Amino acid sequence: MNYEVIVVGGGHAGCEAALATARKGHKTLLVTGNINNIADMPCNPSIGGSAKGIVVREIDALGGEMGNNADKSLLQIKMLNTAKGPAVRSLRAQADKITYPKNMINTLKNTDNLDIKEALVKDVITPDNKVSGVLLENGEIINSKIVILTTGTYMNADIMVGDTRHREGPHGEKPSNYLSDNLAKKGFIIKRLKTGTPPRIDKSSIDFSKAKIENGDTIYHTFSFDNDPMYDINKQVPCYLIYTNDETHKIIRDNLNKSSMYGGLSDIKGVGPRYCPSIEDKIVRFSDKERHQLFLEPESLYYDDIYLQGFSTSMPYDVQEKMVHSLSGLENAKILKYAYAIEYDAIYPTQLKFSLETKLIENLFTAGQINGTSGYEEAACQGLMAGINASLKLEGKEPFILRRDEAYIGVLIDDLITKGIRDPYRLLTSRAEYRLLLRSDNADLRLRDYGYKFGLISDEKYNRFLKKKNDIQKATLEFKENRLTPKNNDYLISLGTKELKDGVSLYDLLRRPEINVNDLVRFLDNDYSDEVLEQVSISAKYEGYINKSLMEAEKLKKLEDKKIPDNIDYDAMHNLASEAKQKLKEVRPNTIGQAMRISGVNPADISILTMYMKRG
Amino acid sequence: MDDTIAAISTAQGVGAISIIRVSGNKAIDIVSNIFSNKDFKNAPSHTIHYGYIFDGADKVDEVLVTLMRSPKTFTKEDVVEINAHGSIMTTDKILELLLVNGCRLAEPGEFTKRAFLNGRIDLTEAEGVMNLINSKTDISRKIALNQVGGKVSNMIRVLRDELALIISNIEVNIDYPEYEDIEEMTTSKIKSNLSDLEDKINKIFTESKNGEVLTNGIKTAIVGKPNVGKSSLLNRLIGEEKAIVTDIQGTTRDSVEATLRIDNLILNLIDTAGIRDTDDLVESIGVDKSIQLIDQADLILFVVNYNEKLTEEDKIILSRLKGKNYITVVNKCDLDKKIDDSNLDNVIYVSALKDINIDEIGKRIKNIFNLEKIETTDLTYLTSARSLSILRKVLDSVKEVRKGIENNYPIDMVEIDLKDIWNLLGEIIGESYDEELLDNLFSRFCVGK
C-alpha cells in the first residue's frame, strides 16, 4: 500500500496532522502503538489555559479539530483573566478523558483518505536523505512521500519512581525503542527531556467538605467559532482547591533522597520543565513557603479518578501514600494511579525549518513533544502546521509560515527553531511581544482566511466568517457616524458618565472606561451580534495600545522582509563573534529579523551580517 | 559603507590646530576638489601635502593634508586628514565644503565602527577607543573608564531588577491566574513603585547631564557693564594657557567662540569676539548685550566693581539673573570697598589684576553643577549621547505608564510600557536576554502542576 503521508503517533499532534492532510485530499496513514490510546490525555484533564486557550482558538480558525473536539467533551469551562484586558483572556476547560479521545477517534474514522494502523515504527526510510516510507518493528515497509513524526514522549521513554526506572511509555504503554537511535544515526541531535504527572485519587475516598469549590463560568463559552454550546451550564463538574501543609513538607524533606530526581536515581539526564516542577522541587526551591496550592480535578464522568494537580512527584509508592494522606480531606484517600516521572528523547528543534520539515531529511516533518514542547495545545498546533505544510509540499507550493505578530502558533514555532530549548517548552503570554494583537476574540479575524485558502474551512463556515467581518465594518461605521448631543445628557448621567456640551460620536463615547458597548446599542440603526459589538468595543477602547503594537509589528515585518540568502557563508565574515558565528551556522536564519532573535547574536554581529549582505 | 564620510576629529575649539578626517573610496577625489595642491591626487600613500583649501576662488585656510591609501589606514579605507588652523569658523567651513562636495557627515564613532566592521580592530578595542575619543579632561576620562568598569551598568541593573519584579508578578498573574496565594499586582502598587523608579531615573538623568557638562563643557557668558574688568578676568582665567583660546574674526551670535579649561572643567565662552586681538571688545559689552547673553548661557559670570557703587545698569542685569546658574564676581577687591553687596548672591571677591581668589571661581562652578562630588565619590555617570537619548525615552515611557494607570487601562496593557522601560534600560547596558524575564518569573514564583 502506498500513501502520500504517514503520520507516526496518534496523540494531539498526530491527529491534527493526519486530519489536515487527509482533509486536503492526500492519502494518509496514521500509525499508532495503540488505537484505543488515540488522542489520550495522559496528564491533566484540561484543554486551554492562559495562552494555550488562544492557541485552541487559532487551531479552530485554521480548520483544525481540537477546539471542536473539546467543545464536545467539556466537564467545565471558564474564561481566565476576565478582570484584565482582552489580550490576556483565554478559555480553559476541564475535558472528559473518556469522551475527548472517543470523539476524536470517531472524527478520524469518518474522515476520507485516512487509514489508521496499529504498529510501532522502527525507522524512517530515507535513501539520499529523502523520505520513501517507514519500516515497522515487525519488519513491514510502508511507502509514502512524506512522514510526519509525532511520537510525543514515547521515544526511549523511561518511567521513574523512587529508585526504579523501566522502559515504558505513559500509563504502561509500549515505548518506541528504535526510532530515536535511528534518527541519531541520520545525524539528528537528540535531547533528553523529562516531565512528570501527579497521582490519581479515588473520588469516593476524598472528603470534599474540607476543600474550596471551583465552579465553571455562569455564561456559555465555546472554543470553536462555529459551535453552539453543547453542555448544560448548570451541570458543569466542579474542581476543588486544597493546600499542602507542614506535615506534607516534612514527609517530603525526610524522604527527599528517595525521589528519583533527588538521588533515588543517579543516571537522570533529562531536563525537566521550569513551569511544571515536581512537589519536591517546590518544597526545596521555595522552602520559605508555608503551603502550596493543589487542585482536585475530575478526569471523567465515567470513572472515579481525581487528578491531584500540583502534586507531581517521583517518590516511591509508600512515600506517596504518606504524602497524600497528610493532605486535608485526603486523610483516607485511595490512590488509584501513582505519580511518576518520565524521561524521553526529543530532537533539538533548531534542526527544523519554519515549515516543521527537518533540514536534514527532505519530506520528513516533526511536530509536538518530539520537538521539545509540552502541552496538548502546543502539540496540536504543530501537528496542524506540519499537516498543512506537508500538503503544500506535495502540491509544490510555498510553505505556510505564521509570523510572531499573526499568531501564538507563529511565536511558538519561531521560538523553537530560532532559540532552541533548554527544558520542555510551554507557551506563555509573555513569550508574545504582540499579544495585544493575538487575542482569543480575534483568532478568526487573524487566521480564517488562511484556513480557507488551504482548504480546511468549508464555504459555509467561511461565508459566516465573511458576514461577521462585514458586520464589524458596518457597526464601526455606525458607531462613528451616529452622534449623541446634550439632549441625551439625562441618559448619560444615568450611566455615571460626564454630560456632553457638543455632539459626540458613539465611537468616542465608547472610549470612556465607564461606558459599556451595550449602553450604546439603543442608538444604532441595526442589530449586531455580541461578538461583533465586542470587536468594535475593543478597537475603540484600546486604540492607542493597539496602534502601538501595530507599529511594532510593522517594524518586525520590515526585518522579516530582509531575506538572508540560503548559501551565505558565515565563515567568510570577519569579526563575527565566534559564539554568533556558531549560532548562525546552527540556525541558518531566513531573515535578519530571525537572526536578531537568536540568543548570543548581538547587534554588532547583525551589523556585520547586513554589511556583508550589502556587499554581496 | 559605500559613502565617504567626514568629520572634525579634534575637539571643537580646544586646540590651535584642528584635524578634519575623511574616509571612504571618494575621499581623495573630494579633497582634491577643494585643495590647491594638484600633485596630491596621484601622490603615493602615507605622504603629507602643503597647500590651501579653496571655496571657489576664496582661500579658506592654509593647510597640511595627509594622504593614506587603503588598506593600511585606521578604517582600512582611503583616509585623508586635513590639518587646519584651530578656529571653529575655519574648521566648520572646511567640513561644510567637504559635505557640499559629496561627503556625508560621519555619525559619532563611525570611523571606529568602520575600523571594526572592516576587521581592523575588535569590539572591545572599538568601545575603548570611542570612550577615549570622547574624554577631553581628566574627569571625563575617569568617567569613561568607570563606564567600562561597570558602575553605570550596576545602577541601571538595580532599576531593571526592580522593574523585572513588577513585570514578572504581572506575568505570573496572567499565566497562572488560578494561584490565589500569589499576590495580585495592581496598578496602585505599580504607581507607588513608579514614583520611586522615576525619582531614580531622574537622578541618573540629572547626574548624567552633569557628566555631559564634564565631557562637553559648560556654555558660559561673562557679563557686566563696561569697565568692570571683564577682559582682565578672562585673561586671568585663561592664565598661561592662552594658546588654547581660539579666536574668530567677526562675531557669530549664539556660538561658542572660545573654550577654556580651569580645574578640569571646560567652559565654552560665548560671544567673546576677538578677545585676543582687542581686549576692549569683551570689555565693551554693554547691558543690552549682557541680557542677550544671559538667555543663551548655562552659566553666567556676572562681573561688578568692588570699588564702585552698584548702578542702575548693574541692577538691570542682576534682575535678569534670577533662576540662572550664575556667580557674582566682585572684581578689584584689592581696592577700597564702595559697593553695597548686601543684596548680592553667589558672591566671590577677586582681583583679576592681582590674581586674588581666582581659584575660587572654578570651585564654585563645580559646586553649582554638583560636580565637586563627582571628583571625589562614585563616577556613576552616563556619558554617551546614545545613553542619554535612551534615558529620555525611558522618561517618556514612564509618562505613558502613568497615563495608562490614570485612564484605568487593564494592567496587562500598562505592562506594555513597563516592558518598554525594561528593554530600554537593557539597551543602555547591552543586555537583552530573552529568557531573562521568564527565568525571573519561575525563580520567584512557585507555580505549575
Side-chain angles (χ1 to χ4, degrees):
Chain A
M1 187 74 194
N2 280 343
Y3 287 92
E4 284 182 285
V5 180
I6 295 175
V7 177
V8 182
H12 303 282
C15 291
E16 294 291 351
L19 285 171
T21 53
R23 283 171 174 167
K24 196 67 207 299
H26 299 294
K27 192 79 186 136
T28 302
L29 175 70
L30 176 69
V31 184
T32 168
N34 179 354
I35 288 182
N36 294 321
N37 218 24
I38 284 175
D40 180 41
M41 297 197 281
C43 201
N44 54 318
S46 62
I47 300 284
S50 187
K52 292 158 166 270
I54 303 178
V55 169
V56 180
R57 301 274 280 175
E58 291 177 353
I59 291 171
D60 186 71
L62 287 169
E65 193 60 28
M66 182 173 248
N68 180 40
N69 204 62
D71 283 340
K72 294 181 197 165
S73 325
L74 296 184
L75 293 175
Q76 181 200 100
I77 187 165
K78 57 169 99 175
M79 182 67 89
L80 304 175
N81 293 327
T82 46
K84 300 190 177 73
V88 296
R89 282 172 211 159
S90 195
L91 285 172
R92 181 182 194 275
Q94 299 302 132
D96 192 306
K97 283 197 180 185
I98 296 290
T99 323
Y100 187 94
K102 211 165 114 188
N103 286 328
M104 186 62 87
I105 293 169
N106 277 337
T107 303
L108 294 170
K109 285 185 174 162
N110 289 318
T111 300
D112 292 340
N113 307 311
L114 178 57
D115 295 338
I116 303 173
K117 183 183 176 72
E118 204 170 78
L120 286 169
V121 169
K122 188 172 189 177
D123 198 0
V124 183
I125 305 166
T126 57
D128 305 322
N129 291 332
K130 188 171 175 177
V131 164
S132 76
V134 296
L135 169 67
L136 303 184
E137 286 193 10
N138 66 9
E140 191 186 338
I141 286 174
I142 311 173
N143 294 320
S144 72
K145 289 179 185 151
I146 283 185
V147 168
I148 304 176
L149 296 178
T150 58
T151 55
T153 59
Y154 281 74
M155 287 200 307
N156 288 348
D158 281 343
I159 298 288
M160 299 175 294
V161 177
D163 57 359
T164 67
R165 166 199 286 276
H166 49 276
R167 182 129 302 192
E168 204 174 77
H171 304 335
E173 289 292 322
K174 284 167 284 188
S176 160
N177 283 323
Y178 305 98
L179 190 54
S180 173
D181 297 343
N182 284 326
L183 288 173
K185 279 182 203 153
K186 295 179 206 297
F188 283 101
I189 301 162
I190 304 291
K191 191 172 170 67
R192 195 89 174 134
L193 295 173
K194 173 186 83 74
T195 187
T197 197
R200 316 300 203 267
I201 313 294
D202 189 341
K203 189 159 80 186
S204 61
S205 68
I206 299 173
D207 179 0
F208 288 102
S209 68
K210 292 183 177 171
K212 187 185 160 221
I213 193 161
E214 304 262 314
N215 284 312
D217 278 357
T218 49
I219 50 168
Y220 278 106
H221 302 288
T222 59
F223 279 111
S224 172
F225 288 94
D226 303 296
N227 284 344
D228 290 324
M230 294 177 229
Y231 64 101
D232 183 339
I233 214 166
N234 299 311
K235 289 186 181 159
Q236 295 182 82
V237 186
C239 296
Y240 295 87
L241 169 63
I242 60 170
Y243 294 94
T244 61
N245 53 46
D246 286 347
E247 199 197 332
T248 325
H249 296 191
K250 186 174 182 309
I251 295 167
I252 292 169
R253 269 194 295 270
D254 288 350
N255 292 284
L256 200 58
N257 59 356
K258 293 183 188 160
S259 160
S260 309
M261 297 301 143
Y262 282 89
L265 284 172
S266 55
D267 56 348
I268 289 171
K269 291 197 202 82
V271 186
R274 278 173 293 172
Y275 50 82
C276 193
S278 65
I279 188 71
E280 294 95 291
D281 280 343
K282 292 182 191 176
I283 306 291
V284 171
R285 285 175 47 214
F286 298 90
S287 55
D288 56 331
K289 270 201 94 176
E290 287 166 16
R291 59 180 198 175
H292 295 273
Q293 274 183 260
L294 305 174
F295 291 93
L296 299 167
E297 301 180 15
E299 292 210 335
S300 173
L301 290 178
Y302 303 97
Y303 62 90
D304 291 332
D305 290 32
I306 295 290
Y307 178 91
L308 186 52
Q309 201 227 86
F311 214 62
S312 130
T313 178
S314 57
M315 286 286 192
Y317 294 166
D318 59 322
V319 181
Q320 289 193 30
E321 291 281 352
K322 284 187 209 158
M323 285 160 59
V324 167
H325 292 148
S326 74
L327 300 169
S328 166
L330 274 72
E331 291 86 354
N332 301 307
K334 189 176 161 209
I335 300 180
L336 295 175
K337 289 190 194 104
Y338 289 97
Y340 58 80
I342 182 167
E343 238 188 3
Y344 57 98
D345 282 354
I347 69 166
Y348 199 66
T350 56
Q351 302 171 95
L352 303 173
K353 302 177 185 176
F354 272 104
S355 60
L356 298 181
E357 186 180 8
T358 66
K359 290 174 187 167
L360 279 173
I361 308 287
E362 195 182 347
N363 290 344
L364 179 65
F365 291 73
T366 59
Q369 274 174 301
I370 188 175
N371 290 343
T373 58
S374 150
Y376 311 143
E377 306 79 2
E378 285 89 342
C381 74
Q382 288 175 70
L384 175 63
M385 292 301 280
I388 291 173
N389 278 314
S391 296
L392 291 170
K393 186 90 197 262
L394 288 169
E395 293 153 18
K397 292 178 184 158
E398 285 293 305
F400 173 42
I401 300 170
L402 284 166
R403 283 191 321 267
R404 299 181 72 90
D405 60 317
E406 290 183 296
Y408 272 95
I409 299 173
V411 173
L412 179 141
I413 292 176
D414 182 55
D415 278 350
L416 284 182
I417 70 170
T418 306
K419 295 172 186 163
I421 51 151
R422 281 191 296 172
D423 57 339
Y425 178 99
R426 184 202 149 149
L427 260 181
L428 298 161
T429 58
S430 50
R431 297 195 195 266
E433 308 81 333
Y434 314 101
R435 73 178 175 213
L436 196 46
L437 307 177
L438 309 183
R439 304 190 306 270
S440 180
D441 62 79
N442 71 356
D444 56 341
L445 295 168
R446 292 185 272 126
L447 301 172
R448 192 131 269 202
D449 284 329
Y450 291 124
Y452 183 68
K453 180 176 157 197
F454 299 128
L456 298 177
I457 294 293
S458 67
D459 285 336
E460 184 204 339
K461 286 181 182 180
Y462 192 58
N463 286 333
R464 189 158 54 228
F465 163 72
L466 288 180
K467 180 178 184 304
K468 175 181 168 185
K469 226 165 112 172
N470 190 40
D471 279 356
I472 294 168
Q473 272 179 4
K474 236 170 75 185
T476 307
L477 202 67
E478 265 193 61
F479 269 90
K480 286 186 172 165
E481 284 178 350
N482 292 10
R483 301 168 78 80
L484 294 195
T485 64
K487 274 192 278 178
N488 303 102
N489 274 345
D490 284 347
Y491 179 65
L492 291 174
I493 290 165
S494 78
L495 294 176
T497 191
K498 251 186 10 214
E499 50 199 280
L500 300 179
K501 294 199 177 89
D502 297 304
V504 169
S505 76
L506 295 176
Y507 200 78
D508 284 334
L509 279 169
L510 193 49
R511 291 179 207 273
R512 298 184 177 181
E514 63 276 14
I515 299 250
N516 185 290
V517 69
N518 291 317
D519 298 332
L520 301 177
V521 288
R522 59 167 71 185
F523 303 108
L524 296 175
D525 309 324
N526 296 292
D527 285 338
Y528 295 101
S529 69
D530 286 347
E531 51 176 5
V532 166
L533 292 173
E534 185 188 18
Q535 290 307 313
V536 182
S537 176
I538 290 171
S539 306
K541 287 190 185 298
Y542 307 113
E543 195 173 39
Y545 286 101
I546 290 173
N547 284 344
K548 208 182 278 183
S549 293
L550 285 171
M551 264 158 55
E552 288 298 316
E554 202 51 47
K555 280 189 215 160
L556 171 85
K557 268 181 228 164
K558 278 192 191 134
L559 291 168
E560 297 299 327
D561 284 344
K562 290 187 190 161
K563 302 277 181 227
I564 301 174
D566 285 343
N567 58 356
I568 197 157
D569 181 7
Y570 291 107
D571 285 320
M573 290 179 209
H574 300 299
N575 269 325
L576 207 52
S578 58
E579 190 196 354
K581 196 178 279 185
Q582 183 226 320
K583 284 280 177 63
L584 287 165
K585 282 163 77 177
E586 177 191 326
V587 177
R588 297 205 69 84
N590 290 359
T591 65
I592 289 293
Q594 191 193 357
M596 289 172 76
R597 291 191 293 275
I598 301 174
S599 56
V601 176
N602 298 316
D605 302 315
I606 297 296
S607 308
I608 294 166
L609 178 56
T610 28
M611 297 317 285
Y612 186 90
M613 280 163 53
K614 269 189 211 159
R615 282 182 193 169
Chain B
M1 289 204 296
D2 299 334
D3 43 4
T4 296
I5 54 172
I8 301 166
S9 293
T10 41
Q12 289 278 65
V14 174
I17 290 171
S18 63
I19 299 172
I20 302 110
R21 182 187 270 173
V22 189
S23 177
N25 52 18
K26 294 204 180 81
I28 299 168
D29 286 348
I30 292 172
V31 174
S32 294
N33 286 342
I34 59 169
F35 188 35
S36 63
N37 188 327
K38 292 304 158 200
D39 298 333
F40 165 76
K41 193 170 176 176
N42 297 312
S45 186
H46 293 75
T47 51
I48 297 174
H49 307 268
Y50 169 80
Y52 290 89
I53 296 292
F54 272 91
D55 176 11
D58 302 333
K59 260 186 205 172
V60 176
D61 198 10
E62 183 185 21
V63 295
L64 286 173
V65 177
T66 313
L67 169 69
M68 291 165 281
R69 293 183 189 275
S70 171
K72 285 188 176 174
T73 69
F74 178 60
T75 57
K76 285 194 145 186
E77 301 170 337
D78 286 342
V79 170
V80 178
E81 289 183 354
I82 303 170
N83 289 254
H85 288 90
S87 90
I88 292 171
M89 285 287 280
T90 319
T91 318
D92 280 351
K93 183 72 204 171
I94 296 172
L95 179 63
E96 192 188 315
L97 284 170
L98 289 168
L99 300 183
V100 169
N101 278 274
C103 287
R104 174 170 67 70
L105 184 62
E107 290 160 25
E110 198 174 356
F111 291 100
T112 312
K113 187 174 156 196
R114 286 188 176 202
F116 164 63
L117 289 175
N118 289 324
R120 168 77 166 64
I121 55 173
D122 70 20
L123 189 59
T124 327
E125 282 180 281
E127 283 169 353
V129 171
M130 292 286 291
N131 281 325
L132 286 176
I133 288 170
N134 290 330
S135 51
K136 287 180 202 156
T137 67
D138 287 344
I139 298 178
S140 56
R141 208 164 288 126
K142 267 188 226 161
I143 292 173
L145 291 174
N146 230 293
Q147 191 164 27
V148 178
K151 283 192 179 171
V152 174
S153 312
N154 283 337
M155 205 150 72
I156 301 282
R157 204 163 281 133
V158 170
L159 285 177
R160 228 168 146 250
D161 284 350
E162 285 168 13
L163 264 182
L165 183 71
I166 299 174
I167 293 170
S168 53
N169 199 337
I170 297 173
E171 296 290 347
V172 85
N173 293 151
I174 292 170
D175 278 324
Y176 294 90
E178 71 273 25
Y179 281 76
E180 295 169 1
D181 271 7
I182 295 170
E183 184 190 29
E184 186 83 14
M185 182 53 70
T186 60
T187 46
S188 62
K189 279 179 206 154
I190 293 178
K191 226 168 162 176
S192 66
N193 268 305
L194 208 61
S195 307
D196 182 46
L197 184 81
E198 201 171 29
D199 285 351
K200 284 184 181 151
I201 291 172
N202 268 323
K203 190 159 173 266
I204 294 185
F205 199 61
T206 345
E207 289 180 349
S208 303
K209 266 190 183 159
N210 291 342
E212 202 180 18
V213 158
L214 283 180
T215 25
N216 298 335
I218 304 164
K219 217 166 164 189
T220 308
I222 299 178
V223 304
K225 65 175 191 270
N227 300 318
V228 287
K230 294 195 290 288
S231 66
S232 49
L233 176 68
L234 179 63
N235 281 333
R236 181 58 67 190
L237 286 172
I238 292 165
E240 293 308 304
E241 297 186 63
K242 227 169 195 168
I244 68 156
V245 177
T246 51
D247 63 336
I248 292 115
Q249 299 296 320
T251 57
T252 313
R253 191 164 295 168
D254 201 7
S255 71
V256 176
E257 290 170 3
T259 298
L260 67 86
R261 203 160 62 163
I262 43 171
D263 271 8
N264 279 328
L265 285 174
I266 301 165
L267 300 189
N268 297 317
L269 295 180
I270 54 175
D271 229 338
T272 47
I275 42 181
R276 201 158 64 174
D277 293 343
T278 49
D279 290 8
D280 288 353
L281 265 177
V282 175
E283 207 47 67
S284 67
I285 289 173
V287 177
D288 290 350
K289 185 75 186 169
S290 288
I291 288 168
Q292 260 181 37
L293 290 176
I294 287 168
D295 288 340
Q296 295 163 17
D298 295 326
L299 170 72
I300 299 113
L301 301 181
F302 170 42
V303 188
V304 291
N305 189 346
Y306 188 72
N307 188 228
E308 197 182 72
K309 288 216 164 73
L310 284 181
T311 63
E312 268 319 295
E313 286 172 302
D314 289 319
K315 286 174 186 164
I316 291 168
I317 297 173
L318 190 61
S319 70
R320 295 301 185 105
L321 289 173
K322 268 196 190 119
K324 302 287 286 188
N325 290 319
Y326 73 97
I327 297 170
T328 311
V329 182
V330 183
N331 193 20
K332 307 184 188 179
C333 70
D334 54 319
L335 303 179
D336 290 342
K337 180 173 178 177
K338 291 185 181 163
I339 192 167
D340 170 16
D341 54 7
S342 57
N343 286 323
L344 295 176
D345 290 322
N346 310 325
V347 181
I348 299 175
Y349 299 94
V350 304
S351 168
L353 276 179
K354 299 267 164 71
D355 196 6
I356 299 171
N357 220 14
I358 295 294
D359 290 354
E360 202 54 39
I361 295 176
K363 285 182 196 155
R364 191 67 66 88
I365 294 170
K366 286 185 188 171
N367 209 350
I368 288 174
F369 287 90
N370 204 15
L371 302 177
E372 198 66 52
K373 268 202 312 219
I374 293 178
E375 265 190 297
T376 52
T377 62
D378 279 359
L379 294 173
T380 46
Y381 303 93
L382 303 168
T383 50
S384 74
R386 173 187 151 272
S387 303
L388 287 175
S389 79
I390 296 175
L391 268 185
R392 254 169 232 129
K393 284 191 210 159
V394 168
L395 286 179
D396 287 346
S397 289
V398 170
K399 276 190 206 122
E400 287 293 304
V401 175
R402 282 193 188 289
K403 211 170 86 187
I405 293 175
E406 271 156 32
N407 289 322
N408 271 321
Y409 281 111
I411 198 158
D412 54 285
M413 296 201 182
V414 172
E415 191 205 353
I416 293 174
D417 291 308
L418 286 176
K419 262 193 181 166
D420 268 354
I421 299 174
W422 187 82
N423 279 325
L424 287 167
L425 293 177
E427 233 175 87
I428 295 178
I429 55 174
E431 271 179 21
S432 57
Y433 175 40
D434 282 316
E435 296 266 298
E436 205 178 322
L437 276 177
L438 283 184
D439 286 344
N440 205 301
L441 194 156
F442 291 115
S443 64
R444 261 190 243 271
F445 299 101
C446 184
V447 286
K449 58 190 183 186

